[in-house]
Amino acid sequence: DGGITQSPKYLFRKEGQNVTLSCEQNLNHDAMYWYRQDPGQGLRLIYYSQIVNDFQKGDIAEGYSVSREKKESFPLTVTSAQKNPTAFYLCASRYAAGVNTEAFFGQGTRLTVV
Amino acid sequence: AQKITQTQPGMFVQEKEAVTLDCTYDTSDQSYGLFWYKQPSSGEMIFLIYQGSYDEQNATEGRYSLNFQKARKSANLVISASQLGDSAMYFCAMGASGTYKYIFGTGTRLKVLA
């Protein structure tokens, strides 16, 4: 079955450490996205990518980095520069940039700084 | 710049009643799409309904309908005959032509009362 897989489901990080969240899709979608979800703040866009080896900053990119070396994969690294990384992270993909294409989501990764 | 605003942090509705969840948007693009998603407590994101900016009729999908008022830049979700399983977070989202950027509002938490 086609879909998006995020791993791990839960992740614990010590302060000062970098961690990488995995996102893989087999939907053959061009566009991929990372969102951060905090209570009361909805989904905020971190980074998005429309093609391999190209990505754009979203609204809250500081303290995060991404890569898009393969169409299927869009890992997110939460760096030590991110001051408050504890949140729920959602990865999504869309077939194209067209206005009528909905997003497909992974199950999310809950990151906790300990 | 694109923006989505959801002004209702929480809503209550009696079972079997209808409820309207508000969404207003801002964009300078002429061609854009508006989407609604449901997020149960499990965290998954479920696509509900889509409305294109050039669609003349309001979108409907089963018990969901979208009250699209272009001049007011609003795209409210109407859920008819509410069920207990409708209790969840609901997010409004927008995509525009010419960009892969895809943004969400802050969400509305709906609680259906028995």
Side-chain angles (χ1 to χ4, degrees):
Chain A
D1 287 339
I4 298 180
T5 301
Q6 286 187 245
S7 61
K9 188 173 182 180
Y10 298 97
L11 187 57
F12 297 90
R13 189 194 93 170
K14 292 183 178 180
E15 286 192 27
Q17 285 183 338
N18 293 353
V19 289
T20 298
L21 282 58
S22 171
C23 179
E24 303 274 336
Q25 56 100 357
N26 60 4
L27 299 167
N28 199 32
H29 284 175
D30 292 318
M32 296 189 74
Y33 304 79
W34 275 105
Y35 296 92
R36 170 178 172 146
Q37 185 176 9
D38 297 281
Q41 298 196 53
L43 273 67
R44 292 184 291 167
L45 181 62
I46 305 173
Y47 269 99
Y48 60 105
S49 169
Q50 61 196 56
I51 196 170
V52 172
N53 293 325
D54 184 60
F55 46 82
Q56 307 293 327
K57 291 183 179 180
D59 300 317
I60 57 163
E62 185 175 351
Y64 300 96
S65 66
V66 294
S67 63
R68 187 90 185 272
E69 297 178 359
K70 298 186 300 181
K71 187 176 184 178
E72 302 80 17
S73 178
F74 192 41
L76 173 74
T77 296
V78 184
T79 74
S80 57
Q82 172 49 235
K83 300 302 181 189
N84 184 21
T86 295
F88 187 56
Y89 291 86
L90 282 163
C91 179
S93 71
R94 296 171 71 208
Y95 176 65
V99 299
N100 61 346
T101 56
E102 76 268 28
F104 292 76
F105 285 84
Q107 295 299 304
T109 293
R110 190 166 298 279
L111 174 62
T112 303
V113 174
V114 296
Chain B
Q2 298 173 321
K3 188 176 181 181
I4 292 277
T5 302
Q6 294 181 254
T7 58
Q8 305 156 312
M11 292 279 288
F12 290 95
V13 64
Q14 206 67 35
E15 194 179 9
K16 300 181 185 178
E17 298 291 317
V19 63
T20 298
L21 307 183
D22 294 342
C23 173
T24 58
Y25 61 92
D26 192 21
T27 180
S28 56
D29 290 289
Q30 296 301 307
S31 178
Y32 52 88
L34 297 153
F35 305 75
W36 277 91
Y37 294 82
K38 172 184 179 181
Q39 186 184 43
S41 57
S42 58
E44 64 183 307
M45 294 287 285
I46 302 167
F47 166 68
L48 297 177
I49 195 167
Y50 156 81
Q51 179 83 43
S53 59
Y54 290 117
D55 293 342
E56 295 185 353
Q57 291 192 330
N58 288 340
T60 60
E61 288 289 346
R63 293 187 300 110
Y64 304 109
S65 61
L66 204 152
N67 184 2
F68 181 49
Q69 299 189 40
K70 195 170 181 177
R72 294 187 177 184
K73 292 190 174 180
S74 73
N76 299 338
L77 177 70
V78 180
I79 305 175
S80 63
S82 296
Q83 301 172 356
L84 296 177
D86 294 334
S87 293
M89 283 289 292
Y90 289 81
F91 292 99
C92 182
M94 178 168 65
S97 65
T99 174
Y100 280 78
K101 197 171 186 181
Y102 195 71
I103 62 169
F104 286 78
T106 52
T108 296
R109 182 173 297 280
L110 177 68
K111 175 70 174 177
V112 180
L113 305 173

